[in-house]
Amino acid sequence: MTDSPVLLNKHEVERCLSYEDLIPRLESVMGKFSKRDSSEIIQPVRSVVPIAQHNGFLGVMPAYLAAEGILCTKMVTFYQRAEGSSLPSTQATVLLFDPEHGHVTAIMDGEAITAKRTAAVSAISAKLFMPALSKVLCILGSGQQARSHYDVFTNVFKFKEVRVWSRRREMAHRFVNDLQGPVRVCSSVKEAVTGADVIVTATGASEPILFGEWVKSGAHVAAVGACRPDWRELDDVLMREAVVYVDSREGATAESGDIVLSGAQVFAELGEVINGSFPAQREKTTVFKSLGMGIQDAVSAKLVLEKWNSEH
Ligand SMILES: NC(=O)C1=CN([C@@H]2O[C@H](COP(=O)(O)OP(=O)(O)OC[C@H]3O[C@@H](n4cnc5c(N)ncnc54)[C@H](O)[C@@H]3O)[C@@H](O)[C@H]2O)C=CC1
Ligand SMILES: O=C([O-])C1=[NH+]CCC1
């Protein structure tokens, strides 16, 4: 008989997962992933089941990290919601298994993990690629990812100015009212991104909203949305002129409309920069195209369980 799995809700997961612990673990696992040693890490590209009638999809994201003893899968749904809907667009559950015997050891909320690990990975990209002395941060979107990105970016870096744009201005104001620090609400994407050093795109857009002609030379774009092969957030000009980094080459080729449809060349994986195989071209305009990886959920879930176990 094995013990029943630990059940952790969103509040517990949020409480047990700090950016301080998460960032070094993500750096380490992404560096290892990019070495493609299958005796260390196995992570297939996400399996996606489209739910066309309801503008959604289900993604299944397994990962096995042999040295860390982590066997994990996340199940995540993403639904394009009407503006102002009270339902979250991204919902997820993470399962941790005992890799030796195969039973489930923990079942936990995956929304907080998805929000925090995605923002933490974007912050790692900014640390490597944003211009030295970056002063202006711009966030496009005002949902869950926009919020986690605001939290980690303002925590890890010191910006002089933070700007936000959202499709409906009142949503941007609602976003800002929830925060402690000063944030300028902009009425157009162009206004928001002009002169910005770092731009986060975290929207549910399926057509380009960010155009290369508006982006300052040398800026860094962390592109988080547009995770289907026919969805875009960035236009062809930006994709072709920037140095493009991705989380996983296989994932980017299978899932990123910004890469597939623009014909942009991928320069390197974030992990390849972390492990020293490719340079960070900080002086150039850079795009980090994030799609999300099972290994990121796996190390996050392990951290949550370690913290929870240390308290019980
Ligand atoms: N790269 C990754 O690892 C992850 C990516 N995502 C993606 O990030 C994006 C944001 O996710 P959440 O913050 O969870 O969603 P959310 O629903 O909480 O926020 C979405 C934001 O995008 C805006 N938006 C929706 N459609 C738009 C359009 N056509 N044009 C401009 N703005 C639009 C909404 O007004 C809202 O501000 C989604 O595309 C999602 O698939 C989500 C989780 C992980
Ligand atoms: O990595 C992830 O969990 C997701 N990426 C896009 C939607 C959800």
Side-chain angles (χ1 to χ4, degrees), residues 6 304-312:
V6 173
V304 170
L305 191 61
E306 277 171 9
K307 170 92 171 133
W308 191 86
N309 280 338
S310 73
E311 295 169 346
H312 291 85

Side-chain angles (χ1 to χ4, degrees), residues 134-136 158-162:
S134 286
K135 294 193 179 88
V136 180
K158 294 281 162 271
F159 292 102
K160 287 216 161 88
E161 187 185 348
V162 183

Side-chain angles (χ1 to χ4, degrees), residues 5-7 61-63 70-75 93-98 104-110 113 297-298 301:
V6 173
L7 288 177
M61 305 175 66
I70 310 177
L71 179 61
C72 177
T73 192
K74 183 170 82 174
M75 287 146 292
T93 302
V94 176
L95 301 187
L96 276 175
F97 299 82
D98 176 323
V104 175
T105 54
I107 304 172
M108 63 183 81
D109 164 80
I113 285 179
D297 301 310

Side-chain angles (χ1 to χ4, degrees), residues 214-232:
W214 301 333
V215 175
K216 173 167 118 174
S217 174
H220 174 57
V221 179
V224 168
C227 54
R228 302 292 299 137
D230 55 350
W231 290 1
R232 304 292 300 266

Side-chain angles (χ1 to χ4, degrees), residues 56-252:
F57 67 78
L58 166 68
V60 182
M61 305 175 66
Y64 176 46
L65 283 63
E68 287 84 354
I70 310 177
L71 179 61
C72 177
T73 192
K74 183 170 82 174
M75 287 146 292
V76 58
T77 58
F78 180 77
Y79 283 70
Q80 287 180 308
R81 307 270 186 217
E83 192 77 54
S85 163
S86 57
L87 295 169
S89 308
T90 309
Q91 298 170 91
T93 302
V94 176
L95 301 187
L96 276 175
F97 299 82
D98 176 323
E100 196 181 342
H101 303 103
H103 58 277
V104 175
T105 54
I107 304 172
M108 63 183 81
D109 164 80
E111 254 178 75
I113 285 179
T114 305
K116 285 194 167 182
R117 64 73 154 145
T118 309
V121 170
S122 296
I124 295 168
S125 83
K127 200 158 62 156
L128 292 166
F129 307 132
M130 73 182 189
L133 306 174
S134 286
K135 294 193 179 88
V136 180
L137 167 69
C138 166
I139 299 176
L140 304 179
S142 59
Q144 294 190 94
Q145 288 293 337
R147 177 57 202 251
S148 56
H149 279 72
Y150 172 85
D151 289 343
V152 71
F153 275 69
T154 54
N155 199 332
V156 171
F157 310 110
K158 294 281 162 271
F159 292 102
K160 287 216 161 88
E161 187 185 348
V162 183
R163 305 174 188 163
V164 67
W165 168 86
S166 195
R167 252 189 320 183
R168 272 180 35 209
R169 207 179 157 82
E170 69 260 36
M171 300 307 285
H173 281 292
R174 193 185 292 183
F175 177 80
V176 170
N177 289 341
D178 250 20
L179 308 172
Q180 308 294 339
V183 179
R184 183 176 129 202
V185 171
C186 296
S187 26
S188 68
V189 175
K190 186 177 176 188
E191 179 196 339
V193 303
T194 299
D197 300 294
V198 180
I199 302 167
V200 173
T201 61
T203 74
S206 48
E207 301 292 332
I209 53 159
L210 178 61
F211 292 83
E213 62 179 300
W214 301 333
V215 175
K216 173 167 118 174
S217 174
H220 174 57
V221 179
V224 168
C227 54
R228 302 292 299 137
D230 55 350
W231 290 1
R232 304 292 300 266
E233 272 187 318
L234 317 182
D235 81 336
D236 285 353
V237 173
L238 178 55
M239 288 306 296
R240 291 194 194 136
E241 287 183 355
V243 181
V244 177
Y245 296 88
V246 295
D247 45 14
S248 131
R249 290 178 189 269
E250 295 86 345

Side-chain angles (χ1 to χ4, degrees), residues 1-21:
M1 260 309 265
T2 54
D3 288 340
S4 304
V6 173
L7 288 177
L8 298 174
N9 64 24
K10 186 172 181 184
H11 171 75
E12 281 293 283
V13 173
E14 239 159 20
R15 194 183 61 72
C16 291
L17 196 57
S18 76
Y19 287 117
E20 210 184 349
D21 294 337

